[in-house]
Amino acid sequence: MINFVLLISRQGKVRLTKWYSPYSQKERAKVIRELSGVILSRGPKLCKFVEWRGYKVVYRRYASLYFCMCIDSEDNELETLEIIHHFVEILDRYFGSVCELDLIFNFHKAYYILDEILIAGELQESSKKTVARLIAAQDSLVETAKEQADSISNVIAQVTK
Amino acid sequence: MAGSSSSPGLVDTLLQRSLDDLIKALRSHPAGEPSIISRALEEIRREIRSTDPDTKSVALQKLTYLSSLHSIDMSWASFHAVELLPSTSLSLKRLAYLAASLSFHPSSDLLLLTTNQLRKDLSPSSPSPILSLALEFLSVAASPDLARDLTPEIHSLLSSPKPPIRAKAAAAALRVFTRCPDSVRIAFKRLVDNLDPSSDPRVISSAVGVFCELSASDPKPFLPLAPEFYRLLVNSKNNWVLIKVLKLFARLAPLEPRLANRIVDPICEHLRRSNAKSLVLECIHTVAVSLADYDHAVRLAVDKMREFLSCDDDPNLRYLGLHALSMLGPRHSWAVEENKQVIIKSLNDPDPNIRREALHLIMGMLFDSNVVEISMLLVSFASKLTPNPEFCNEILGAVLLACGRNVYELVMDFDWYVTLLGEMARNPHCAKGEEIERQLVDIGLRVKDARSELVRVVRDLLIDPALLGNPSIHRILSASAWVSGEYVEFSRNPLEVLEALLQPRTNLLPTSVRAVYMQAVFKVLTFCFCSYLESLDDGQILSSLGNTISGDGCQEESDAATVRFVTNDNTMVGSVDDDGATDCMPGSLMGSVKLNGPFTHESILYMLNLIETSLAPLSECGEVEVQDRSRGILCLIHMLREFQVLNCNEEALRKDCRVIEIANLMTGVFSQELGPISASAQKRVSVPDGLILKDNLADLTAVLGEEVEVSGSVTTSFFHRNHHHVETGDESKTSTESTSLLSEHRKRHELYYLPAEKDEIQSNDYPPANDPQLPVSQGGASEDLVEFTDQPFLSRQTKPTKPRPVVVKLDDGDVQHNSAPRPTVDLKDDLLSGAVRDVLFGNEDKPKQSQMRSSKSQRRKKDPLTSVESASHLKESVNFVHVEHGSSSSKSSRRHSHSTEKQSSPGGSMDKEERSHKNSMNSHHHHRKNKHRQREDVLSNLVPHTPVIQDFLL
């Protein structure tokens, strides 16, 4: 099971955090500090696994961003690397060659995509196409709803003022 | 620009900063982040109370951003997130759910407020996006109450017509089951139904993932699902599913012997065929964990491991290969032997994780037969690891731990081990001083036969002035000084030891260690002086005094001394032991050294002078321990010098009974042998009658108030004792009773003087020590590794040349009990697996009171896993069989009828393809693996309780 997902930039800035096991706010900050220290200091030619407090942290670097997932000691590291890659590919498809800035300004969308892929720390959807389709459908729903709401609220605002 | 214009008086809705504004502000002023965040939080607190849902949602979104990326606490805003959950607009709902799932815990108070909304959103008629949001939230935040209340919704969603929703419901069910075990009784069957081959692949994948997670704590209840999993193992093309199924089988196979027999061939097939490394890795794990009996499977897995290990360009695979090898364990040590070269090369890998894994693997393969080779290899390797002190110490620590485990269980040859300890101490990066110190002293106490070698090793350490400059081994030097003092009778040249103990550079030592050094000086002096007096007693030797004495003469002398001691009075009993030990030493040892043996008058005088000049400055030392001991020794010397005879001739000295008396007294002090002390020794001392240990002494302060205050001056007088000489002189005259007191005191405190570490107070008059020279050039490490690989790694044929010496062990409390207490299953897990068991074995009608189950589960926990367990298992299985037969009754579910068909009529619903596959496999099996067949038969004969599950498998 995946216990949490972290996205950390090379400078140590957090870009996304998702916790599938309960961690208090204090623990979360501590975990992020600890792990970013460990992972960012590792060279590019080293293996992508870190043993940490009885868990394993699997990470992978894409450009300036480290994608880290913490898994149980019995879990399969290579599978987790594949999940990370899967996530990145879907992000890439959604944003059109994704970059760090996309994730910074659309952080909630990154969460929506992640929620389609992982639930309760388990891989949900292994098809990239399906995820893209689901997210697009949601987006269009939201868009049409917004347009309606906007027009209505405009009308109401004009009436009340 | 938007940031500067927000002022509290304006309408929030119009001038609210969007999330983009906030992010831009944060990015443009990286230094002022805290102030920007605190200002933004102020705005958010105001905006979030707005009645306009849009304003509220933007505020919530900003807060979510700050919370998840800047670790800002947002628990105070939980209520606002809950407020937004019912909104009809999907975008608002999404934001609300995102905020909620990022900020809620299963223990959050406000979860109760979400129950109704979740129930609404989880109704099967809700649109998919909303269902997804609600399921995701439930999977993160399910509390026991929430899980219980929403079980019916999950139950109905598990058969939703939309596959993505069904898959998500399965994942959410995982959390619901673990938080509320009772829900298993309601919804578990639906989950099992989703394994049906006709289900959507993603639903199957999701369901298998749930079973895989649930079986982690107690796989036993999942045995009845083995046929379903087997079908997936053989038919599924989806690697994600296969990995989960393999994990499940790795847990199930140890519980059911015949299962391993069935799965071994499909797994080997995957191992051979698959291109996906992740799947291959999982197959390797499964083989290593559950199929270690099947040699061909292990062979195949080891071949794959070797492929992993030889991937020079992929550190991931090398790491995993090493890890997999260590999973195979000592049982298949040939696998390690085969890959020896790679493993040893990995010790020098640039990646610390790979190095650690290699070390871990090697230490896992340690037996008493190869401990010598491997430890020596590792220690000499560590000494060449100059650029990497951290890993060097990891190696040393691992060797110390392995060799010291269970009172040196693995060590046969203590002379070798003691030498190895000395070698470790000389490692320039050694930071394991504490452990080496402990082991040096401990071996001295426990292993009599190792003492002479021990003394030789520590002499080399003490004599080397370079070592004194390395603070990390001061502890080792402390132990060395203690050993050389305590076992001085084994020393070839006590004078040399004395010189080493008094060398000027000892002022680099911390005072606590210096105190130990001084005590050692005291012991050596006592020993030398007494043996000198003994030698005087022997007339033969008088003529040779002053000359260099040959080895023969020395041997004679020591024999003579022994004779004299044996015929001596009672007070010398201890000395007889000591001397007896001396006698045991090989003659060559004594004879080979020139300076050794009988002390001449000159050497004794030289010794006294040396001690006097070295210790004189220390008698004014600020540290009481050092001051105390130096004064003690100086007093003794002073006292000896008072006998004028010492300065004129030996004849007079021999006659002087007072000197003899002092000598007797002195040997008496150190005569008793020290031994290891049981950890529970203190507890075994019975409290004498009338002694009240737990009395409250607070009342005493009122009575003794004044005296207590005076105590400060007492300590100062302790520092400046002027009548010390006189006191000691008197003491020496009061005879044997003080001896026993002293020896007792010494026994009690001597060992504990060692560890205390204090800062060096003394000024350092001597130039600072040079750092120890690095023994080998830095580049040499990898080349040297190659030669190591030529050495046998796991040779078992080496036989100990001499019998293992006796190691003193105490009956209790001495050995640390390494066996960890058996992991007790969490009560909740137990409830969960109990529930799963009930469902799968068809016992739903059982009363649901948790108490009953918990008491039952507790009983089960206590039972040893053997006969009693199997009996209860049998009972449950009988129930199951009953249900199977009566499955025509209305209560049987879809799956049940399905599975019954499968078992009762072979030509029923079972896939023909699958069956033919099985048949072909069986015949295949029959041809090649007769042995296994036989074994299987034998097993089924031997184990009477297993046939019940047989039905599933065949």
Side-chain angles (χ1 to χ4, degrees), chain B residues 303-314 317-318 339 342 345:
Chain B
D303 287 345
K304 289 288 172 187
M305 287 179 203
R306 193 209 291 266
E307 263 173 47
F308 279 18
L309 286 172
S310 57
C311 287
D312 284 332
D313 53 340
D314 193 341
L317 292 185
R318 269 183 286 144
N339 297 291
V342 191
K345 211 176 89 198

Side-chain angles (χ1 to χ4, degrees), chain B residues 126-137:
Chain B
S126 313
S128 303
I130 290 176
L131 276 171
S132 311
L133 289 171
L135 285 170
E136 205 284 327
F137 175 65

Side-chain angles (χ1 to χ4, degrees), chain B residues 702-732:
Chain B
V703 186
L704 300 172
E706 290 161 27
E707 277 90 330
V708 171
E709 279 174 30
V710 177
S711 66
S713 63
V714 172
T715 43
T716 43
S717 71
F718 182 54
F719 269 95
H720 305 289
R721 273 181 297 179
N722 295 323
H723 305 292
H724 192 82
H725 303 268
V726 185
E727 276 170 27
T728 329
D730 292 343
E731 269 173 12
S732 67

Side-chain angles (χ1 to χ4, degrees), chain B residues 918-934:
Chain B
K918 276 184 192 174
N919 286 340
S920 70
M921 214 168 55
N922 278 348
S923 57
H924 183 64
H925 208 80
H926 201 70
H927 283 305
R928 277 217 309 203
K929 288 283 154 192
N930 264 335
K931 201 169 57 183
H932 283 295
R933 253 274 134 71
Q934 280 166 1

Side-chain angles (χ1 to χ4, degrees), chain A residues 12 18 29 32 39 48 57 72 75 79 85 105 113 136 155 160:
Chain A
K18 177 81 189 181
I32 292 171
I39 289 171
K48 306 288 180 259
V57 177
D72 292 335
D75 286 342
E79 183 197 21
H85 191 66
F105 283 101
I113 293 174
V155 173
T160 47

